[in-house]
Amino acid sequence: MTDDDRLHHLLDRARRGVILPAEGEALATLVGEREAAIEQAELDAEQQARHFRTICGERESYRQAWKYEQKHRATAEARVRELETASAPEVDRRPLHARHVTALTTAYPDLRHTADHIANLILGVRDEHVRELEQRVAELTAGQCTHQPTP
């Protein structure tokens, strides 16, 4: 006899008023077990509902992060395309060179004979730095940045 069959049998005897004391104890035990099972099922259902809400919240967070990333990726890609199509303006080095020569000869009158050469060295370093930056930009746009930033 299964627990369900036993429960129905004891309930039938209780309804008819012919239940024995030992049967009453067995009925109370079966009802208590059923109540405990129902309470546990309710706790499990609540826990599953909380877990489901957590998963839904995480899913929404991931969806929002994905949308944010897609939006900004599109903006960044548009900016890269814009930069790729724009050509870098040619910089007239003569005014820069003249400013360096003037600054050097003003600060160090003894260097007036070599100021032209020093100004060319300064501009050479500047040009090399610009080339390095252009290379970094090219690597970034290609997604292949291997260049480590200098400390």
Side-chain angles (χ1 to χ4, degrees):
M1 181 179 270
T2 67
D3 282 346
D4 283 346
D5 292 338
R6 179 101 174 115
L7 181 63
H8 288 299
H9 171 72
L10 293 173
L11 285 173
D12 179 55
R13 289 186 57 81
R15 278 189 205 112
R16 290 186 289 136
V18 292
I19 193 164
L20 300 173
E23 291 175 327
E25 288 296 318
L27 177 61
T29 301
L30 285 172
V31 169
E33 289 172 357
R34 293 291 171 105
E35 286 176 343
I38 289 170
E39 287 176 17
Q40 185 60 47
E42 288 173 350
L43 289 174
D44 291 345
E46 287 177 26
Q47 184 178 8
Q48 287 176 348
R50 280 193 304 274
H51 182 67
F52 179 74
R53 285 190 298 271
T54 300
I55 289 172
C56 288
E58 288 174 356
R59 184 188 69 194
E60 182 60 22
S61 295
Y62 288 132
R63 190 173 75 73
Q64 291 298 327
W66 181 81
K67 285 173 63 177
Y68 178 84
E69 190 266 336
Q70 292 298 314
K71 175 185 172 189
H72 289 283
R73 176 180 287 177
T75 303
E77 287 173 352
R79 181 69 177 133
V80 166
R81 283 191 299 277
E82 178 184 314
L83 290 172
E84 286 174 343
T85 58
S87 61
E90 285 297 319
V91 176
D92 186 4
R93 295 179 60 184
R94 290 176 299 195
L96 289 172
H97 183 271
R99 280 198 324 217
H100 287 304
V101 168
T102 302
L104 285 166
T105 55
T106 302
Y108 305 100
D110 299 352
L111 296 178
R112 70 179 176 273
H113 299 294
T114 59
D116 185 57
H117 179 68
I118 294 171
N120 283 332
L121 290 174
I122 292 170
L123 289 174
V125 169
R126 177 198 159 276
D127 292 344
E128 179 60 29
H129 184 68
V130 168
R131 279 192 293 279
E132 285 177 7
L133 289 174
E134 288 172 344
Q135 181 182 354
R136 285 184 191 171
V137 168
E139 289 171 352
L140 284 170
T141 57
Q144 303 168 354
C145 185
T146 58
H147 184 74
Q148 297 298 317
T150 55

Coordinates of all heavy atoms in Angstrom, one line a residue, residues 1-91:
M1 N 0.8 -1.2 0.0 CA 0.0 0.0 0.0 C 0.9 1.2 0.0 O 1.8 1.4 0.8 CB -0.9 0.0 1.3 CG -1.8 1.1 1.4 SD -2.9 1.0 2.8 CE -4.3 0.1 2.2
T2 N 0.6 2.2 -0.9 CA 1.4 3.4 -1.0 C 1.0 4.4 0.1 O -0.1 4.2 0.7 CB 1.2 4.1 -2.4 OG1 -0.1 4.5 -2.5 CG2 1.6 3.1 -3.5
D3 N 1.8 5.4 0.2 CA 1.4 6.5 1.2 C 0.1 7.1 0.9 O -0.7 7.5 1.8 CB 2.6 7.5 1.3 CG 3.7 7.0 2.1 OD1 3.6 6.0 2.8 OD2 4.8 7.7 2.1
D4 N -0.1 7.4 -0.4 CA -1.4 8.0 -0.8 C -2.6 7.1 -0.5 O -3.6 7.5 0.0 CB -1.4 8.2 -2.4 CG -0.6 9.4 -2.7 OD1 -0.2 10.2 -1.8 OD2 -0.3 9.6 -3.9
D5 N -2.4 5.8 -0.8 CA -3.5 4.8 -0.4 C -3.7 4.8 1.1 O -4.9 4.8 1.5 CB -3.1 3.4 -0.9 CG -3.1 3.3 -2.5 OD1 -3.8 4.2 -3.1 OD2 -2.5 2.4 -3.0
R6 N -2.6 4.8 1.8 CA -2.7 4.7 3.3 C -3.4 6.0 3.8 O -4.3 5.9 4.7 CB -1.3 4.6 3.9 CG -1.3 4.6 5.4 CD -1.1 3.1 5.8 NE -0.9 3.2 7.3 CZ -1.7 2.6 8.1 NH1 -2.8 2.0 7.7 NH2 -1.5 2.7 9.4
L7 N -3.0 7.2 3.3 CA -3.6 8.4 3.7 C -5.1 8.4 3.4 O -5.9 8.8 4.2 CB -2.9 9.6 2.9 CG -3.4 11.0 3.3 CD1 -3.2 11.3 4.7 CD2 -2.8 12.0 2.4
H8 N -5.5 8.0 2.2 CA -7.0 8.0 1.8 C -7.7 7.0 2.8 O -8.8 7.3 3.2 CB -7.1 7.6 0.4 CG -6.7 8.7 -0.6 ND1 -7.3 9.9 -0.6 CD2 -5.8 8.7 -1.5 CE1 -6.7 10.7 -1.5 NE2 -5.8 9.9 -2.1
H9 N -7.1 5.9 3.1 CA -7.8 4.9 3.9 C -8.0 5.5 5.3 O -9.1 5.4 5.9 CB -6.9 3.6 4.0 CG -7.4 2.7 5.1 ND1 -8.5 1.9 4.9 CD2 -6.9 2.4 6.3 CE1 -8.7 1.2 6.0 NE2 -7.7 1.4 6.8
L10 N -6.9 6.2 5.9 CA -7.0 6.8 7.2 C -8.0 7.9 7.3 O -8.8 8.1 8.2 CB -5.7 7.2 7.7 CG -4.7 6.0 8.0 CD1 -3.3 6.6 8.3 CD2 -5.2 5.1 9.1
L11 N -8.0 8.7 6.2 CA -9.0 9.9 6.1 C -10.4 9.3 6.0 O -11.3 9.9 6.7 CB -8.7 10.7 4.9 CG -7.5 11.7 5.0 CD1 -7.2 12.3 3.7 CD2 -7.7 12.7 6.1
D12 N -10.6 8.3 5.3 CA -11.9 7.7 5.2 C -12.4 7.2 6.6 O -13.5 7.4 7.0 CB -11.9 6.5 4.2 CG -13.3 5.8 4.1 OD1 -14.3 6.6 3.8 OD2 -13.3 4.6 4.3
R13 N -11.5 6.5 7.3 CA -11.9 6.0 8.7 C -12.1 7.2 9.6 O -13.0 7.2 10.4 CB -10.7 5.2 9.2 CG -10.7 3.8 8.5 CD -9.7 2.8 9.0 NE -9.9 2.5 10.4 CZ -10.8 1.6 10.9 NH1 -11.6 0.9 10.1 NH2 -10.9 1.4 12.2
A14 N -11.3 8.3 9.5 CA -11.6 9.5 10.3 C -12.9 10.1 10.0 O -13.6 10.6 10.9 CB -10.4 10.5 10.1
R15 N -13.3 10.2 8.7 CA -14.6 10.8 8.3 C -15.8 10.0 8.9 O -16.8 10.5 9.3 CB -14.7 10.9 6.8 CG -14.0 12.0 6.2 CD -14.4 12.1 4.7 NE -13.3 12.9 4.1 CZ -12.5 12.4 3.2 NH1 -12.6 11.1 2.8 NH2 -11.5 13.1 2.7
R16 N -15.6 8.7 8.9 CA -16.7 7.8 9.4 C -16.6 7.7 10.9 O -17.6 7.2 11.5 CB -16.5 6.4 8.8 CG -16.9 6.4 7.3 CD -16.9 5.0 6.7 NE -15.5 4.5 6.6 CZ -15.2 3.2 7.0 NH1 -16.1 2.4 7.4 NH2 -13.9 2.8 6.9
G17 N -15.6 8.3 11.6 CA -15.5 8.3 13.0 C -15.1 7.0 13.6 O -15.4 6.7 14.8
V18 N -14.5 6.1 12.9 CA -14.1 4.8 13.4 C -12.6 4.6 13.4 O -12.1 3.5 13.5 CB -14.7 3.7 12.5 CG1 -16.2 3.6 12.7 CG2 -14.3 3.8 11.1
I19 N -11.8 5.7 13.5 CA -10.4 5.6 13.4 C -9.8 5.2 14.8 O -10.3 5.7 15.8 CB -9.7 7.0 12.9 CG1 -8.3 6.8 12.6 CG2 -9.9 8.1 14.0 CD1 -7.7 7.9 11.8
L20 N -8.9 4.4 14.9 CA -8.2 3.9 16.1 C -7.2 4.9 16.5 O -6.6 5.7 15.6 CB -7.6 2.5 15.9 CG -8.6 1.4 15.6 CD1 -7.9 0.1 15.3 CD2 -9.6 1.2 16.7
P21 N -6.8 5.0 17.8 CA -5.7 5.9 18.2 C -4.4 5.7 17.4 O -3.8 6.7 17.0 CB -5.5 5.6 19.7 CG -6.8 5.0 20.1 CD -7.4 4.3 18.9
A22 N -4.0 4.5 17.2 CA -2.7 4.3 16.4 C -2.9 4.8 15.0 O -1.9 5.4 14.4 CB -2.4 2.8 16.5
E23 N -4.1 4.6 14.4 CA -4.3 5.1 13.1 C -4.3 6.6 13.0 O -3.9 7.2 12.1 CB -5.7 4.5 12.5 CG -5.6 3.0 12.3 CD -7.0 2.5 11.9 OE1 -8.0 3.0 12.4 OE2 -7.0 1.6 11.1
G24 N -4.9 7.2 14.1 CA -4.9 8.7 14.2 C -3.4 9.2 14.2 O -3.1 10.3 13.6
E25 N -2.6 8.6 15.0 CA -1.1 9.0 15.0 C -0.5 8.8 13.6 O 0.2 9.7 13.2 CB -0.4 8.1 16.0 CG -0.7 8.4 17.5 CD -0.3 9.8 17.8 OE1 0.8 10.3 17.4 OE2 -1.1 10.5 18.6
A26 N -0.8 7.7 12.9 CA -0.3 7.5 11.6 C -0.8 8.6 10.6 O 0.0 9.1 9.8 CB -0.7 6.1 11.1
L27 N -2.1 8.9 10.8 CA -2.7 10.0 9.9 C -2.0 11.3 10.2 O -1.6 12.0 9.3 CB -4.2 10.1 10.2 CG -4.9 11.2 9.4 CD1 -4.8 11.0 7.9 CD2 -6.4 11.2 9.8
A28 N -1.7 11.6 11.5 CA -1.1 12.9 11.8 C 0.3 12.9 11.3 O 0.8 13.9 10.7 CB -1.0 13.0 13.4
T29 N 1.0 11.8 11.3 CA 2.4 11.7 10.8 C 2.4 11.9 9.2 O 3.2 12.7 8.7 CB 3.0 10.3 11.1 OG1 3.1 10.2 12.5 CG2 4.4 10.2 10.5
L30 N 1.5 11.2 8.6 CA 1.3 11.4 7.1 C 1.0 12.9 6.7 O 1.6 13.4 5.8 CB 0.3 10.4 6.5 CG 0.7 9.0 6.4 CD1 -0.5 8.1 6.0 CD2 1.8 8.8 5.4
V31 N 0.1 13.5 7.4 CA -0.3 14.9 7.2 C 0.8 15.8 7.4 O 1.1 16.7 6.7 CB -1.6 15.2 8.0 CG1 -1.8 16.7 7.9 CG2 -2.8 14.5 7.5
G32 N 1.6 15.5 8.5 CA 2.8 16.4 8.8 C 3.8 16.2 7.7 O 4.5 17.3 7.4
E33 N 4.0 15.0 7.2 CA 5.0 14.8 6.2 C 4.6 15.6 4.9 O 5.4 16.2 4.2 CB 5.2 13.3 5.8 CG 5.9 12.6 6.9 CD 5.9 11.1 6.7 OE1 5.3 10.6 5.7 OE2 6.5 10.4 7.5
R34 N 3.2 15.5 4.6 CA 2.7 16.2 3.4 C 2.9 17.7 3.6 O 3.3 18.4 2.7 CB 1.3 15.9 3.2 CG 1.0 14.5 2.8 CD 1.6 14.2 1.4 NE 1.5 12.9 1.0 CZ 0.6 12.3 0.2 NH1 -0.3 13.1 -0.4 NH2 0.7 11.0 -0.1
E35 N 2.6 18.3 4.8 CA 2.7 19.7 5.1 C 4.2 20.1 4.9 O 4.5 21.2 4.3 CB 2.2 20.0 6.5 CG 0.7 20.0 6.6 CD 0.3 20.3 8.0 OE1 1.1 20.2 9.0 OE2 -0.9 20.6 8.2
A36 N 5.1 19.3 5.4 CA 6.6 19.6 5.3 C 7.0 19.6 3.8 O 7.7 20.5 3.4 CB 7.4 18.6 6.1
A37 N 6.4 18.7 3.1 CA 6.8 18.6 1.6 C 6.2 19.8 0.9 O 6.9 20.4 0.0 CB 6.2 17.3 1.0
I38 N 5.0 20.2 1.3 CA 4.4 21.4 0.6 C 5.2 22.6 1.0 O 5.5 23.5 0.1 CB 2.9 21.5 1.0 CG1 2.1 20.4 0.4 CG2 2.4 22.9 0.7 CD1 0.7 20.3 0.9
E39 N 5.6 22.8 2.3 CA 6.4 24.0 2.7 C 7.7 24.0 1.9 O 8.2 25.0 1.4 CB 6.6 23.9 4.2 CG 5.4 24.3 5.0 CD 5.7 24.2 6.5 OE1 6.9 24.1 6.9 OE2 4.7 24.2 7.2
Q40 N 8.4 22.8 1.8 CA 9.6 22.7 1.1 C 9.4 23.1 -0.4 O 10.3 23.8 -1.0 CB 10.3 21.3 1.2 CG 11.6 21.2 0.6 CD 12.6 22.2 1.3 OE1 12.7 22.3 2.5 NE2 13.4 22.9 0.5
A41 N 8.4 22.6 -1.0 CA 8.1 22.9 -2.4 C 7.9 24.4 -2.6 O 8.3 25.0 -3.6 CB 6.9 22.1 -2.9
E42 N 7.2 25.1 -1.6 CA 7.0 26.5 -1.7 C 8.3 27.2 -1.5 O 8.5 28.2 -2.3 CB 6.0 27.0 -0.6 CG 4.6 26.5 -0.8 CD 3.6 26.8 0.4 OE1 4.1 27.2 1.5 OE2 2.4 26.7 0.2
L43 N 9.2 26.8 -0.6 CA 10.5 27.4 -0.5 C 11.3 27.2 -1.7 O 12.0 28.2 -2.2 CB 11.2 26.8 0.7 CG 10.7 27.2 2.1 CD1 11.5 26.4 3.2 CD2 10.8 28.7 2.4
D44 N 11.3 26.0 -2.3 CA 12.0 25.8 -3.5 C 11.4 26.7 -4.7 O 12.2 27.2 -5.5 CB 11.9 24.3 -4.0 CG 12.6 23.4 -3.0 OD1 13.5 23.9 -2.2 OD2 12.4 22.2 -3.1
A45 N 10.1 26.8 -4.7 CA 9.5 27.7 -5.8 C 10.0 29.1 -5.6 O 10.3 29.8 -6.6 CB 8.0 27.6 -5.7
E46 N 10.0 29.6 -4.3 CA 10.4 31.0 -4.1 C 11.9 31.2 -4.5 O 12.3 32.2 -5.1 CB 10.2 31.3 -2.6 CG 8.8 31.6 -2.2 CD 8.7 31.8 -0.7 OE1 9.7 32.3 -0.1 OE2 7.6 31.5 -0.1
Q47 N 12.7 30.2 -4.1 CA 14.1 30.3 -4.4 C 14.3 30.2 -6.0 O 15.1 31.0 -6.5 CB 14.9 29.1 -3.8 CG 16.4 29.2 -4.1 CD 17.1 28.0 -3.4 OE1 16.5 27.1 -2.9 NE2 18.4 28.1 -3.4
Q48 N 13.6 29.4 -6.6 CA 13.6 29.4 -8.1 C 13.2 30.7 -8.7 O 13.8 31.2 -9.7 CB 12.8 28.2 -8.7 CG 13.4 26.9 -8.4 CD 12.6 25.7 -8.9 OE1 11.4 25.9 -9.2 NE2 13.1 24.5 -8.9
A49 N 12.1 31.3 -8.1 CA 11.6 32.6 -8.6 C 12.7 33.7 -8.4 O 12.9 34.5 -9.3 CB 10.3 33.0 -7.9
R50 N 13.4 33.7 -7.2 CA 14.4 34.6 -7.0 C 15.6 34.4 -8.0 O 16.1 35.4 -8.5 CB 14.9 34.5 -5.6 CG 14.1 35.2 -4.5 CD 14.8 35.3 -3.2 NE 15.2 34.1 -2.7 CZ 14.5 33.2 -1.9 NH1 13.3 33.5 -1.6 NH2 15.0 32.1 -1.5
H51 N 15.9 33.2 -8.2 CA 17.0 32.8 -9.1 C 16.6 33.3 -10.5 O 17.4 33.9 -11.3 CB 17.3 31.3 -9.1 CG 18.4 30.9 -10.0 ND1 19.7 31.3 -9.8 CD2 18.4 30.1 -11.1 CE1 20.4 30.7 -10.7 NE2 19.7 30.1 -11.6
F52 N 15.4 33.1 -10.9 CA 14.9 33.5 -12.2 C 15.0 35.0 -12.4 O 15.4 35.5 -13.4 CB 13.5 33.0 -12.5 CG 12.9 33.4 -13.8 CD1 13.3 32.7 -14.9 CD2 11.9 34.4 -13.9 CE1 12.8 33.1 -16.2 CE2 11.4 34.7 -15.1 CZ 11.8 34.1 -16.2
R53 N 14.5 35.7 -11.3 CA 14.6 37.2 -11.4 C 16.1 37.6 -11.5 O 16.4 38.6 -12.2 CB 13.9 37.8 -10.2 CG 12.4 37.7 -10.2 CD 11.7 38.6 -9.1 NE 12.1 38.1 -7.8 CZ 11.4 37.2 -7.1 NH1 10.3 36.6 -7.7 NH2 11.7 36.8 -5.9
T54 N 16.9 37.0 -10.8 CA 18.4 37.3 -10.8 C 18.9 37.1 -12.2 O 19.6 38.0 -12.8 CB 19.2 36.5 -9.8 OG1 18.7 36.7 -8.5 CG2 20.7 36.8 -9.9
I55 N 18.6 36.0 -12.8 CA 19.0 35.7 -14.2 C 18.4 36.7 -15.2 O 19.2 37.2 -16.0 CB 18.6 34.2 -14.6 CG1 19.5 33.2 -13.8 CG2 18.8 34.0 -16.1 CD1 19.0 31.8 -14.0
C56 N 17.2 37.0 -15.0 CA 16.6 38.0 -15.9 C 17.3 39.4 -15.7 O 17.5 40.1 -16.7 CB 15.1 38.2 -15.6 SG 14.1 36.7 -16.1
G57 N 17.6 39.8 -14.5 CA 18.3 41.0 -14.3 C 19.7 41.0 -14.9 O 20.1 42.0 -15.5
E58 N 20.4 39.9 -14.7 CA 21.7 39.8 -15.3 C 21.6 39.8 -16.8 O 22.4 40.4 -17.5 CB 22.4 38.4 -14.9 CG 22.8 38.5 -13.5 CD 23.4 37.1 -13.0 OE1 23.3 36.1 -13.8 OE2 23.8 37.0 -11.8
R59 N 20.6 39.1 -17.4 CA 20.4 39.1 -18.8 C 20.2 40.5 -19.3 O 20.8 41.0 -20.3 CB 19.3 38.2 -19.2 CG 19.1 38.1 -20.7 CD 17.8 37.4 -21.1 NE 16.7 38.2 -20.7 CZ 15.5 37.9 -20.7 NH1 15.1 36.6 -20.9 NH2 14.5 38.7 -20.3
E60 N 19.4 41.3 -18.6 CA 19.1 42.7 -19.0 C 20.3 43.5 -18.9 O 20.6 44.3 -19.7 CB 18.0 43.3 -18.1 CG 17.6 44.7 -18.5 CD 17.1 44.8 -19.9 OE1 16.6 43.8 -20.5 OE2 17.1 45.9 -20.4
S61 N 21.1 43.3 -17.8 CA 22.4 44.0 -17.7 C 23.3 43.7 -18.8 O 23.9 44.6 -19.4 CB 23.1 43.7 -16.4 OG 22.3 44.1 -15.3
Y62 N 23.4 42.4 -19.2 CA 24.3 42.1 -20.3 C 23.8 42.7 -21.6 O 24.5 43.1 -22.5 CB 24.4 40.6 -20.5 CG 25.2 39.9 -19.4 CD1 24.8 38.8 -18.7 CD2 26.5 40.4 -19.0 CE1 25.5 38.2 -17.7 CE2 27.2 39.8 -18.1 CZ 26.8 38.7 -17.4 OH 27.5 38.1 -16.4
R63 N 22.4 42.7 -21.8 CA 21.9 43.2 -23.0 C 22.1 44.7 -23.1 O 22.5 45.2 -24.1 CB 20.3 43.0 -23.0 CG 19.7 43.3 -24.3 CD 18.2 42.8 -24.3 NE 17.3 43.7 -23.6 CZ 17.0 44.9 -23.9 NH1 17.3 45.4 -25.0 NH2 16.2 45.6 -23.2
Q64 N 22.0 45.4 -22.0 CA 22.3 46.9 -21.9 C 23.8 47.1 -22.2 O 24.1 48.0 -23.0 CB 21.9 47.5 -20.6 CG 20.4 47.5 -20.4 CD 19.7 48.4 -21.4 OE1 20.2 49.4 -21.9 NE2 18.5 48.0 -21.7
A65 N 24.6 46.3 -21.6 CA 26.1 46.5 -21.9 C 26.4 46.2 -23.3 O 27.2 46.9 -24.0 CB 26.9 45.5 -21.0
W66 N 25.8 45.2 -23.9 CA 26.0 44.9 -25.3 C 25.5 46.0 -26.2 O 26.2 46.4 -27.1 CB 25.3 43.6 -25.7 CG 25.5 43.2 -27.1 CD1 26.5 42.5 -27.6 CD2 24.6 43.4 -28.2 NE1 26.4 42.3 -28.9 CE2 25.2 42.8 -29.3 CE3 23.3 44.0 -28.3 CZ2 24.6 42.9 -30.6 CZ3 22.8 44.0 -29.5 CH2 23.4 43.5 -30.7
K67 N 24.3 46.6 -25.9 CA 23.8 47.7 -26.7 C 24.8 48.9 -26.6 O 25.1 49.6 -27.6 CB 22.4 48.1 -26.2 CG 21.4 47.1 -26.7 CD 20.0 47.4 -26.1 CE 19.5 48.7 -26.5 NZ 18.1 49.0 -25.9
Y68 N 25.3 49.2 -25.4 CA 26.2 50.3 -25.1 C 27.5 50.1 -25.9 O 27.9 51.0 -26.6 CB 26.5 50.4 -23.6 CG 27.5 51.4 -23.3 CD1 27.1 52.7 -23.1 CD2 28.8 51.1 -23.1 CE1 28.0 53.7 -22.8 CE2 29.8 52.1 -22.8 CZ 29.3 53.4 -22.6 OH 30.2 54.4 -22.3
E69 N 28.0 48.8 -25.9 CA 29.2 48.5 -26.6 C 29.0 48.6 -28.1 O 29.9 49.2 -28.8 CB 29.7 47.1 -26.2 CG 31.1 46.8 -26.7 CD 31.1 46.0 -28.0 OE1 30.1 45.4 -28.4 OE2 32.1 46.1 -28.8
Q70 N 27.9 48.2 -28.6 CA 27.6 48.2 -30.0 C 27.5 49.7 -30.5 O 28.0 50.1 -31.5 CB 26.3 47.5 -30.4 CG 26.4 46.0 -30.2 CD 27.4 45.4 -31.1 OE1 27.5 45.7 -32.3 NE2 28.3 44.5 -30.6
K71 N 26.8 50.5 -29.7 CA 26.6 51.9 -30.0 C 28.0 52.6 -30.1 O 28.3 53.3 -31.1 CB 25.8 52.6 -29.0 CG 25.6 54.1 -29.1 CD 24.9 54.7 -28.0 CE 24.9 56.2 -28.1 NZ 24.3 56.8 -26.9
H72 N 28.8 52.4 -29.1 CA 30.1 53.1 -29.1 C 31.1 52.5 -30.1 O 31.9 53.2 -30.6 CB 30.7 53.1 -27.6 CG 29.9 54.0 -26.7 ND1 30.1 55.3 -26.8 CD2 28.9 53.7 -25.8 CE1 29.2 55.9 -25.9 NE2 28.5 54.9 -25.3
R73 N 31.0 51.2 -30.4 CA 31.8 50.6 -31.4 C 31.5 51.2 -32.7 O 32.3 51.6 -33.5 CB 31.6 49.1 -31.5 CG 32.4 48.5 -32.7 CD 32.2 47.0 -32.8 NE 32.9 46.4 -31.7 CZ 33.0 45.1 -31.4 NH1 32.3 44.3 -32.2 NH2 33.6 44.6 -30.4
A74 N 30.2 51.4 -33.0 CA 29.7 52.0 -34.3 C 30.3 53.5 -34.3 O 30.7 53.9 -35.4 CB 28.2 52.0 -34.4
T75 N 30.2 54.2 -33.2 CA 30.7 55.6 -33.2 C 32.2 55.6 -33.4 O 32.7 56.4 -34.2 CB 30.4 56.2 -31.8 OG1 29.0 56.2 -31.6 CG2 30.9 57.6 -31.8
A76 N 32.9 54.7 -32.8 CA 34.4 54.6 -33.0 C 34.7 54.2 -34.4 O 35.7 54.8 -35.0 CB 35.0 53.6 -32.0
E77 N 34.0 53.2 -34.9 CA 34.3 52.8 -36.3 C 34.0 54.0 -37.3 O 34.8 54.2 -38.3 CB 33.4 51.6 -36.7 CG 33.9 50.3 -36.0 CD 33.0 49.1 -36.2 OE1 31.9 49.3 -36.8 OE2 33.4 48.0 -35.8
A78 N 33.0 54.7 -37.1 CA 32.7 55.9 -37.9 C 33.8 56.9 -37.8 O 34.2 57.5 -38.8 CB 31.3 56.5 -37.5
R79 N 34.3 57.1 -36.6 CA 35.4 58.1 -36.4 C 36.7 57.6 -37.1 O 37.4 58.4 -37.7 CB 35.7 58.3 -34.9 CG 36.8 59.3 -34.6 CD 36.3 60.7 -35.0 NE 37.4 61.6 -34.6 CZ 37.9 62.5 -35.4 NH1 37.4 62.8 -36.6 NH2 38.9 63.3 -35.0
V80 N 36.9 56.3 -37.0 CA 38.1 55.7 -37.7 C 38.0 55.9 -39.2 O 38.9 56.3 -39.9 CB 38.3 54.2 -37.3 CG1 39.3 53.6 -38.3 CG2 38.7 54.1 -35.9
R81 N 36.8 55.6 -39.8 CA 36.6 55.8 -41.2 C 36.8 57.3 -41.6 O 37.4 57.6 -42.6 CB 35.2 55.3 -41.6 CG 35.1 53.8 -41.7 CD 33.7 53.4 -42.4 NE 32.6 53.8 -41.6 CZ 32.0 53.2 -40.6 NH1 32.6 52.1 -40.2 NH2 31.0 53.6 -40.0
E82 N 36.3 58.2 -40.7 CA 36.4 59.6 -41.0 C 37.9 60.0 -41.0 O 38.4 60.7 -41.9 CB 35.7 60.4 -39.9 CG 35.8 61.9 -40.0 CD 35.1 62.5 -38.8 OE1 34.0 62.1 -38.5 OE2 35.7 63.4 -38.2
L83 N 38.7 59.4 -40.0 CA 40.1 59.7 -39.9 C 40.9 59.1 -41.1 O 41.8 59.7 -41.6 CB 40.7 59.3 -38.6 CG 40.2 60.1 -37.4 CD1 40.7 59.4 -36.1 CD2 40.7 61.5 -37.5
E84 N 40.4 57.9 -41.5 CA 41.1 57.3 -42.6 C 40.9 58.0 -43.9 O 41.8 58.1 -44.8 CB 40.6 55.8 -42.8 CG 41.1 54.9 -41.7 CD 40.4 53.5 -41.9 OE1 39.4 53.4 -42.5 OE2 40.9 52.6 -41.3
T85 N 39.8 58.6 -44.1 CA 39.5 59.3 -45.4 C 40.1 60.7 -45.4 O 40.4 61.3 -46.4 CB 38.0 59.5 -45.6 OG1 37.4 60.1 -44.5 CG2 37.4 58.1 -45.9
A86 N 40.3 61.3 -44.2 CA 40.9 62.6 -44.1 C 42.4 62.5 -44.2 O 43.0 61.6 -43.5 CB 40.5 63.3 -42.7
S87 N 43.0 63.3 -45.0 CA 44.5 63.3 -45.1 C 45.1 64.3 -44.1 O 44.5 65.3 -43.8 CB 44.9 63.7 -46.5 OG 44.5 64.9 -46.8
A88 N 46.2 63.9 -43.5 CA 46.8 64.8 -42.5 C 47.3 66.0 -43.2 O 47.9 66.0 -44.3 CB 48.0 64.1 -41.9
P89 N 47.1 67.2 -42.6 CA 47.5 68.4 -43.3 C 49.0 68.5 -43.2 O 49.6 68.1 -42.2 CB 46.9 69.5 -42.5 CG 46.6 68.9 -41.1 CD 46.4 67.4 -41.4
E90 N 49.6 69.0 -44.3 CA 51.1 69.2 -44.3 C 51.4 70.4 -43.4 O 50.7 71.5 -43.4 CB 51.5 69.6 -45.7 CG 51.6 68.3 -46.6 CD 52.5 67.3 -46.1 OE1 53.7 67.6 -45.7 OE2 52.2 66.1 -46.1
V91 N 52.3 70.2 -42.5 CA 52.7 71.3 -41.6 C 53.9 72.0 -42.1 O 54.9 71.4 -42.5 CB 53.1 70.6 -40.2 CG1 53.6 71.7 -39.2 CG2 51.9 69.9 -39.6

